[in-house]
Amino acid sequence: MRPLYLDITAFGPYAGRQEIDFAELGNYRFFLIHGPTGSGKTTLLDAMCYALYGDTSGKIRSGENMRSDYATETEITEVSFDFSVGQDCYRVKRIPRQQVARKRGSGLVEVAESAQLFKIDQHRQEQMLMVEKKTRVTEEIERILGFKSDQFRQVVLLPQGDFRRLLLADSVERQTIMQMLFKTEYYSLVEQRLKDAAKSWAQNYAEVDVKTQELLKLAEVESIDQLRDRTEADQVSGAVIQEQIANAAEMTETSRRLLYAARQDQRTLEEQRQAREAAEAVLSEQVTIGANRSELQRALQAAAVSEYFTLAQTRQQEYATAFRRHQEAETGWATAKVNQQVAQNKWAELSVQEPEIDRLLQEKSGLEELAKRSILLSQAVTEADKLRKDAEKASLVVAQASTELKKLAQSREELLAREMVATRLAAELGSREAAFKQCQDACDRRKKLDRTQVELAEASKRLALAAATSTGAQQKHEQERGCLSELQELWEKEQAALLANELEPGQPCPVCGSTRHPAKAVATTDTPDPVRLRMQRQSVEQAARRFEAARKVEYDAQVDRDRVLNALKLLEEELGASGRTGMDELETKLAVVTQDCQESAKARVETAALRVRLDHLRVQMEDVRQLHEQQEKSRSEREAQANSAEAVVLERRSIVPEQYREAAALQQALAAVTARLSGLRSLLQSARQKLEDSGKLCAQAMTQHEERLESLKRARELMDKAYEQKRLQFAAVELNDEADFQSAVRTPDQRKLLDQTIRSYESRLAATKERLVRAEQAAGQVRGIPDIVAREKAYSETNAHEQELRVEQGRIQDRLTQACQLIGRLETLEQERLIAEEQHGLYAGLHEITSGRLTGVSFERYVLGFLLDEVSLYANLRLKEMTRGRYRLRRREDRGDKRKGVGLDLEVVDSYTGEARPVQTLSGGETFLASLSLALGLADVVQSRAGGIHLETLFVDEGFGTLDPETLDLAIKALIDLQQGGRLVGIISHVPELKESIDARLEIVSTDRGSQAIFHVG
């Protein structure tokens, strides 16, 4: 990871926007960050760490706490950080949760926390939004960089307080750091998979054993050999019973054939009896069938003449219809002649009214002309009234404009007086704001001091509670470790006793190789089993995890308490003498100053508003004056128009008669004439139409009467002819009269049914005769009456014996099938049991080795130990140079106590004494050099081995002040040498010599309005 551009706003001591372009360093890869205490040097590292992970470099302050005290209420605190990883460039933006001023109205509104990650090009232009929301952005950053926030602060950004953490960490904590950096979780995964495989094969073995016992229990035997013996006995029994079944089957078949023959003879005799009975029943129906034949014959004769009977009835109905229609036509003709005479009389009566119609037309025309003149008169009156009202309104508007003009002049005088007072108050706003800012800062810091004191008390309580919990967890851990040590010792003695039992005099010992065995190990009575030993190991691991968790909680509580204490001291220094002033006094003073500032601010706003109102009033007065002149001119014009319109009204009123000047009277007279004219016209038109219609109807009625008389004559002739044809046909078929015809008539369905009945009888008679002949012939061949009961008894006995033998055979066969299946499954389970036993032994042994239960070092720790050796090698190259060959780091390999997780502990070898000692015994300056060497060595190894992690940058915050001048030069030389690999190195320090010796510097300038960062290169 290499920083490209940092852009922060209202963050920490930086009040406004601060941009840091690392491209300004040019070819310089080593630079110094310097400035006064509290100016914001570490804040730049906090900003980068917050942008990447959402927390600060020391994890003491959150993003919410980093909002600048210098920021105005409208400014939003935000951080934007551009960085590169290999050839890829990214931009991460974060905004912490904060309170800012509303855009509209007064008061504050909360801005929610947000985060965004962009892919950018080489020119720092955003190409795409990768993810957003703080958690997803942090996860993606961890994926890109290859490590989490804690590891980032231990190998890239080394903050105050945490700089020595990697060196002084215990084996467990160092393992966590290296796991993330070197991605060694694969080796832990191998160990876990070996454990899972061993557990799985153990379960398989147990399951196979359970299945085997279940199958033996199902077979009701104790072993597979016993099952095989029982199977052989069943096979012999099955062969014997198979022979018995063959003999019984032959006897059953013979008795079945005899029974079948007897049943056939019995059915033949029964068929003879049924055939005779059927023949007798058919012959008994001959009388009924004869009557059916006679009925069918008469029905056929009646059907032959039915059409002539139907025709005669139809002609009679047609004649009756023609006669009725003739009577109707004759009545209609008489009525039409009467209506024609009435219409002629009415027309003669109304035709004398035609001269009256001509007179009414002339009267109507004269009234319509007067209506037009009356309309023109009404329009002239209306127009005159309207113009007169407009003139009066114009006069009223002119009076109102004069009044408004006087009011505006009075308002202008009042505004001028108020503007002078507001201007004087606004001039005092600057001095009052300065006093308010000073008083408000004192109040805020005093409140913050009070809150910090309360927070310190709470942090101290949490630290005490965490320390007590950590002490209890440590005691529990040591107790469990002691118990495990005792059990392990007993188990090892037991193993030694087992080896001793196998020793033979004169034979070498497999452990020490001696042929003499003077004191063999003896087994104890309370030897622990492997399960108990494994459970105790798990208890120790659980106690260790709880102890480690308690230690972490205590460490976090200690860091939190120290953070609050440092913040309290810093606040007390900033307050100085004002910290002794009472809060009530400060708040009272602040209220007075606030009121003064509000009064001046209000006056400044009011002054601008008053000036705007005066300008507006001046324009408004000018507009009103111009409007007054225009309205006076308009009033004169409308007065002249009204006078002219009234003259036109007088002229038009003289033309219209007085009785018709009212529109209602004129319309009433015109309506009366129009109604009289319309009534006469309607009566004449109706009489003329009725006369024409009655003539037409009379002619039509006469024509219809003549046509229907002719139709009546034709219908009478056809009826007489049809009755004569019916009489002749009845005589031909010997039907006496219509009653005789009606008794013989049958419908087609009835005739069809009679015919089918006769044909069915004839068919059944022939079939019955044929059946009787066949039955008599078959019965003649039967000799005697068959004994069915005896034959059925013989067949049942032989068949029952055969079935009993077959059931027994089935039971034997089922036992054989089940036994063969069980034997096959048992043999398969035996093979599976052997495989499971072999595989369990293999994986369990490998897990014992990789888990470190035998050596005390797990597979992953072994790999991490190798990597730590390599890190120590690279670190010693620099530590040796910086300490002039005195110190070197090495990994401690103390395997005496297998209960401890060893393999990643560090110690320092002092060449002056030739002894190794814990790294915690180094002095402050020596610890700084060792920590710096270890961090640089770790970065070298990670860079060379982990292809996905790019450690191109290193920031070191403080620690150089503990070095003497010569050692300081060596340390700086080691850091400068990192440039050869292209790595960017930035250090924070107050040491004056560094400012003079380092060409590239980022200076932090502190002012009373916030800090600023400026690059000095060359």
Side-chain angles (χ1 to χ4, degrees):
M1 190 279 292
R2 180 182 295 275
L4 301 177
Y5 199 89
L6 178 63
D7 186 355
I8 60 178
T9 302
F11 193 84
Y14 298 93
R17 183 177 181 183
Q18 176 65 60
E19 299 176 83
I20 299 177
D21 187 358
F22 290 93
E24 293 184 26
L25 291 172
N27 295 325
Y28 289 95
R29 294 293 180 266
F30 183 69
F31 69 99
L32 172 67
I33 304 174
H34 65 96
T37 300
S39 60
K41 301 183 295 299
T42 303
T43 302
L44 297 179
L45 306 186
D46 288 340
M48 286 186 279
C49 194
Y50 173 72
L52 293 173
Y53 295 102
D55 54 27
T56 57
S57 61
K59 290 194 77 174
I60 297 176
R61 294 169 290 183
S62 64
E64 300 175 35
N65 298 333
M66 293 306 297
R67 178 167 172 79
S68 178
D69 293 335
Y70 297 102
T72 63
E73 292 183 345
T74 58
E75 287 182 305
I76 296 179
T77 299
E78 59 181 328
V79 178
S80 175
F81 181 42
D82 297 355
F83 63 95
S84 65
V85 177
Q87 298 299 320
D88 297 324
C89 300
Y90 305 91
R91 172 175 296 152
V92 59
K93 295 180 179 180
R94 286 189 192 265
I95 297 177
R97 187 172 60 184
Q98 55 193 287
Q99 298 279 342
V100 298
R102 295 180 181 273
K103 292 183 178 180
R104 295 182 179 178
S106 60
L108 300 178
V109 64
E110 182 174 286
V111 177
E113 183 175 2
S114 64
Q116 295 176 311
L117 178 62
F118 297 88
K119 189 74 174 293
I120 61 176
D121 57 20
Q122 299 296 329
H123 303 290
R124 299 182 46 249
Q125 297 298 315
E126 295 179 359
Q127 293 181 318
M128 58 174 277
L129 174 63
M130 299 176 64
V131 293
E132 54 185 349
K133 296 185 178 179
K134 64 174 186 176
T135 303
R136 295 185 59 191
V137 169
T138 302
E139 293 173 352
E140 187 66 17
I141 289 293
E142 291 173 353
R143 184 193 67 79
I144 294 173
L145 298 184
F147 35 69
K148 297 181 181 294
S149 174
D150 290 339
Q151 287 73 42
F152 180 79
R153 288 192 296 273
Q154 290 168 339
V155 297
V156 176
L157 191 154
L158 309 180
Q160 298 180 16
D162 287 351
F163 181 61
R164 301 166 179 79
R165 188 174 173 187
L166 179 62
L167 176 69
L168 303 179
D170 60 13
S171 184
V172 176
E173 186 178 1
R174 190 173 290 111
Q175 177 179 345
T176 303
I177 298 171
M178 297 183 68
Q179 280 176 334
M180 178 63 68
L181 294 174
F182 292 104
K183 310 295 182 184
T184 58
E185 63 272 9
Y186 171 76
Y187 303 101
S188 178
L189 181 62
V190 169
E191 176 187 339
Q192 183 61 39
R193 289 188 176 178
L194 289 173
K195 180 181 179 180
D196 293 343
K199 182 179 179 180
S200 176
W201 283 111
Q203 291 176 350
N204 289 345
Y205 183 86
E207 290 172 0
V208 168
D209 188 60
V210 170
K211 291 178 181 179
T212 301
Q213 295 302 320
E214 289 176 351
L215 292 178
L216 292 176
K217 184 178 181 180
L218 178 64
E220 299 179 351
V221 296
E222 297 180 356
S223 65
I224 189 173
D225 294 333
Q226 185 178 354
L227 181 60
R228 290 193 181 102
D229 294 341
R230 191 177 73 183
T231 302
E232 292 177 359
D234 286 341
Q235 289 175 346
V236 173
S237 299
V240 172
I241 205 167
Q242 180 65 34
E243 185 176 353
Q244 293 175 355
I245 289 172
N247 295 333
E250 184 176 355
M251 294 175 64
T252 301
E253 181 62 22
T254 301
S255 60
R256 187 191 65 78
R257 286 198 297 269
L258 293 174
L259 175 61
Y260 177 76
R263 287 177 176 171
Q264 285 293 103
D265 292 343
Q266 185 183 34
R267 283 194 289 271
T268 300
L269 295 176
E270 179 66 19
E271 174 64 16
Q272 182 187 28
R273 184 187 65 78
Q274 293 177 356
R276 289 175 179 176
E277 293 176 354
E280 293 174 357
V282 170
L283 291 174
S284 66
E285 298 178 9
Q286 287 183 346
V287 176
T288 304
I289 295 303
N292 290 341
R293 284 194 179 96
S294 176
E295 182 181 358
L296 178 61
Q297 181 65 29
R298 282 175 56 79
L300 291 174
Q301 291 174 350
V305 299
S306 63
E307 61 178 323
Y308 296 100
F309 178 79
T310 302
L311 180 61
Q313 289 182 330
T314 301
R315 295 304 184 193
Q316 185 180 4
Q317 293 175 356
E318 291 176 352
Y319 174 75
T321 300
F323 182 79
R324 177 178 55 77
R325 296 183 66 193
H326 172 261
Q327 294 293 328
E328 293 174 352
E330 189 173 7
T331 302
W333 185 27
T335 303
K337 288 189 290 183
V338 172
N339 292 336
Q340 185 180 23
Q341 185 62 40
V342 172
Q344 288 175 351
N345 296 336
K346 186 68 176 176
W347 169 250
E349 180 183 353
L350 294 175
S351 59
V352 297
Q353 298 290 333
E354 290 184 353
E356 179 67 13
I357 292 175
D358 294 337
R359 187 188 66 79
L360 290 174
L361 286 173
Q362 293 177 359
E363 184 179 355
K364 180 182 178 183
S365 177
L367 290 175
E368 287 175 348
E369 182 63 25
L370 286 176
K372 294 179 181 178
R373 294 177 179 179
S374 179
I375 291 172
L376 292 174
L377 176 60
S378 298
Q379 291 175 349
V381 171
T382 302
E383 180 66 18
D385 292 341
K386 178 177 178 296
L387 290 174
R388 177 56 62 188
K389 289 179 181 179
D390 290 345
E392 292 174 355
K393 288 181 181 178
S395 299
L396 182 61
V397 169
V398 170
Q400 290 175 348
S402 300
T403 303
E404 184 178 1
L405 193 60
K406 293 178 181 179
K407 290 181 179 180
L408 291 175
Q410 184 178 359
S411 298
R412 182 171 178 275
E413 295 299 328
E414 294 175 355
L415 289 177
L416 285 172
R418 289 174 57 188
E419 193 263 344
M420 291 178 62
V421 176
T423 302
R424 179 179 55 80
L425 292 175
E428 300 174 0
L429 179 61
S431 59
R432 292 184 177 186
E433 280 185 343
F436 169 76
K437 180 64 174 176
Q438 183 179 3
C439 188
Q440 186 182 39
D441 290 344
C443 287
D444 291 343
R445 292 181 181 179
R446 182 52 192 263
K447 290 179 181 178
K448 193 172 182 180
L449 177 64
D450 294 342
R451 291 196 301 269
T452 306
Q453 289 173 345
V454 175
E455 187 179 356
L456 177 62
E458 294 176 353
S460 300
K461 291 180 182 179
R462 290 195 296 270
L463 177 59
L465 179 60
T469 304
S470 175
T471 302
Q474 181 179 11
Q475 292 174 354
K476 179 65 176 177
H477 180 220
E478 292 175 354
Q479 181 182 354
E480 294 293 341
R481 287 172 56 189
C483 184
L484 177 61
S485 178
E486 294 175 0
L487 292 176
Q488 183 75 24
E489 185 177 356
L490 291 174
W491 184 79
E492 291 175 353
K493 289 181 179 179
E494 177 64 19
Q495 299 303 311
L498 292 175
L499 290 175
N501 290 337
E502 299 177 359
L503 291 177
E504 297 293 338
Q507 296 297 325
C509 174
V511 178
C512 63
S514 175
T515 56
R516 297 178 61 192
H517 318 297
K520 295 182 180 180
V522 180
T524 60
T525 58
D526 55 349
T527 301
D529 58 355
V531 176
R532 181 182 175 191
L533 194 61
R534 184 166 57 254
M535 292 179 62
Q536 186 60 33
R537 287 198 188 100
Q538 294 175 356
S539 298
V540 172
E541 292 174 357
Q542 292 176 358
R545 287 193 294 270
R546 286 194 290 269
F547 175 47
E548 186 62 29
R551 284 186 57 193
K552 187 176 185 303
V553 171
E554 181 184 8
Y555 173 77
D556 293 341
Q558 178 71 35
V559 171
D560 188 48
R561 200 278 310 271
D562 294 343
R563 173 186 64 80
V564 176
L565 185 59
N566 291 334
L568 181 62
K569 293 179 179 179
L570 182 60
L571 284 173
E572 290 175 346
E573 292 176 359
E574 291 177 352
L575 283 172
S578 61
R580 294 187 293 272
T581 305
M583 191 64 201
D584 294 338
E585 182 180 350
L586 288 174
E587 289 180 347
T588 302
K589 183 178 179 182
L590 178 63
V592 174
V593 174
T594 301
Q595 185 177 0
D596 293 342
C597 285
Q598 291 175 350
E599 184 181 8
S600 294
K602 184 178 180 181
R604 172 177 290 182
V605 175
E606 186 178 5
T607 300
L610 288 172
R611 289 173 180 171
V612 171
R613 288 181 62 186
L614 282 170
D615 294 339
H616 177 70
L617 192 60
R618 187 181 302 107
V619 173
Q620 189 176 2
M621 289 177 65
E622 183 63 28
D623 292 341
V624 170
R625 187 178 293 105
Q626 293 177 1
L627 180 62
H628 179 266
E629 294 174 354
Q630 294 174 358
Q631 289 172 346
E632 178 63 28
K633 182 179 179 181
S634 176
R635 187 195 64 77
S636 301
E637 293 175 352
R638 291 181 182 181
E639 184 71 24
Q641 292 174 355
N643 295 332
S644 176
E646 289 171 351
V648 173
V649 170
L650 293 174
E651 179 185 357
R652 292 180 179 178
R653 187 172 290 170
S654 62
I655 300 174
V656 180
E658 185 175 357
Q659 67 271 24
Y660 291 136
R661 288 176 184 176
E662 294 294 333
L666 182 61
Q667 291 296 328
Q668 185 177 3
L670 183 61
V673 172
T674 302
R676 174 65 178 162
L677 180 63
S678 176
L680 288 175
R681 284 178 174 177
S682 177
L683 288 174
L684 285 172
Q685 181 67 25
S686 176
R688 186 183 292 109
Q689 186 65 38
K690 288 181 178 179
L691 181 61
E692 293 175 357
D693 293 343
S694 63
K696 291 179 182 178
L697 290 175
C698 186
Q700 291 175 357
M702 182 180 67
T703 302
Q704 187 180 39
H705 175 264
E706 294 174 352
E707 290 175 351
R708 290 186 178 181
L709 179 61
E710 185 66 26
S711 297
L712 178 64
K713 293 178 181 179
R714 286 197 302 271
R716 179 64 187 224
E717 292 174 357
L718 291 174
M719 182 182 69
D720 295 342
K721 184 178 179 181
Y723 269 94
E724 180 63 19
Q725 290 177 343
K726 183 187 76 168
R727 186 186 65 76
L728 293 174
Q729 291 297 325
F730 272 27
V733 295
E734 300 179 353
L735 291 174
N736 297 326
D737 52 17
E738 185 174 342
D740 193 14
F741 170 77
Q742 292 294 344
S743 65
V745 170
R746 297 291 183 271
T747 65
D749 291 339
Q750 291 174 336
R751 295 196 301 271
K752 183 178 180 181
L753 179 62
L754 288 171
D755 184 61
Q756 289 177 351
T757 301
I758 294 169
R759 291 178 183 276
S760 174
Y761 172 77
E762 292 174 349
S763 177
R764 286 188 291 110
L765 179 62
T768 302
K769 290 180 179 179
E770 183 180 357
R771 177 185 178 188
L772 181 59
V773 171
R774 288 198 307 269
E776 292 291 348
Q777 292 176 352
Q781 299 178 359
V782 177
R783 298 177 180 179
I785 298 175
D787 189 356
I788 298 297
V789 176
R791 295 300 182 190
E792 287 180 346
K793 180 179 180 182
Y795 174 73
S796 298
E797 291 175 352
T798 56
N799 186 54
H801 179 60
E802 179 186 357
Q803 294 304 318
E804 290 175 358
L805 292 174
R806 291 190 182 278
V807 170
E808 181 62 23
Q809 183 188 34
R811 285 197 295 268
I812 294 174
Q813 188 62 38
D814 289 342
R815 283 203 306 271
L816 285 173
T817 301
Q818 184 182 19
C820 291
Q821 292 176 351
L822 290 175
I823 290 172
R825 292 175 64 185
L826 287 170
E827 290 175 348
T828 301
L829 288 174
E830 179 62 20
Q831 294 296 324
E832 293 177 0
R833 186 186 67 80
L834 293 175
I835 294 173
E837 183 177 12
E838 180 182 359
Q839 293 297 320
H840 175 260
L842 172 62
Y843 285 107
L846 290 173
H847 178 252
E848 287 287 333
I849 296 173
T850 58
S851 65
R853 292 180 179 175
L854 300 178
T855 62
V857 179
S858 66
F859 185 29
E860 184 182 15
R861 280 203 170 211
Y862 176 79
V863 174
L864 289 174
F866 175 79
L867 293 172
L868 185 57
D869 289 341
E870 188 172 359
V871 170
S872 300
L873 178 63
Y874 279 92
N876 287 332
L877 294 177
R878 294 182 175 88
L879 183 60
K880 181 179 179 181
E881 182 178 352
M882 286 188 285
T883 61
R884 294 176 293 278
R886 179 176 180 180
Y887 295 118
R888 64 182 179 87
L889 298 173
R890 75 178 184 186
R891 182 169 58 93
R892 190 173 65 204
E893 298 185 3
D894 184 5
R895 303 182 184 274
D897 188 353
K898 296 179 181 178
R899 296 173 298 176
K900 297 181 178 180
V902 298
L904 298 179
D905 293 311
L906 284 175
E907 59 185 5
V908 60
V909 180
D910 189 346
S911 63
Y912 290 2
T913 62
E915 298 293 333
R917 52 191 172 93
V919 292
Q920 289 80 2
T921 61
L922 293 171
S923 65
E926 293 170 341
T927 300
F928 173 79
L929 295 177
S931 300
L932 180 61
S933 300
L934 187 63
L936 298 177
L938 181 62
D940 290 339
V941 175
V942 169
Q943 184 74 18
S944 62
R945 286 186 172 272
I949 299 179
H950 300 271
L951 300 179
E952 302 175 292
T953 305
L954 178 66
F955 289 100
V956 182
D957 190 355
E958 295 301 342
F960 297 94
T962 60
L963 306 179
D964 59 78
E966 184 178 358
T967 306
L968 176 62
D969 292 340
L970 294 175
I972 295 302
K973 182 179 182 300
L975 292 173
I976 293 175
D977 290 341
L978 296 177
Q979 298 181 86
Q980 299 176 0
R983 188 175 302 172
L984 179 67
V985 180
I987 63 173
I988 296 177
S989 180
H990 293 90
V991 178
E993 292 82 358
L994 295 179
K995 182 178 179 181
E996 302 298 331
S997 60
I998 298 177
D999 295 332
R1001 294 177 291 109
L1002 179 61
E1003 183 180 5
I1004 312 301
V1005 180
S1006 178
T1007 69
D1008 59 351
R1009 282 306 202 181
S1011 299
Q1012 293 181 348
I1014 304 172
F1015 264 121
H1016 300 284
V1017 180

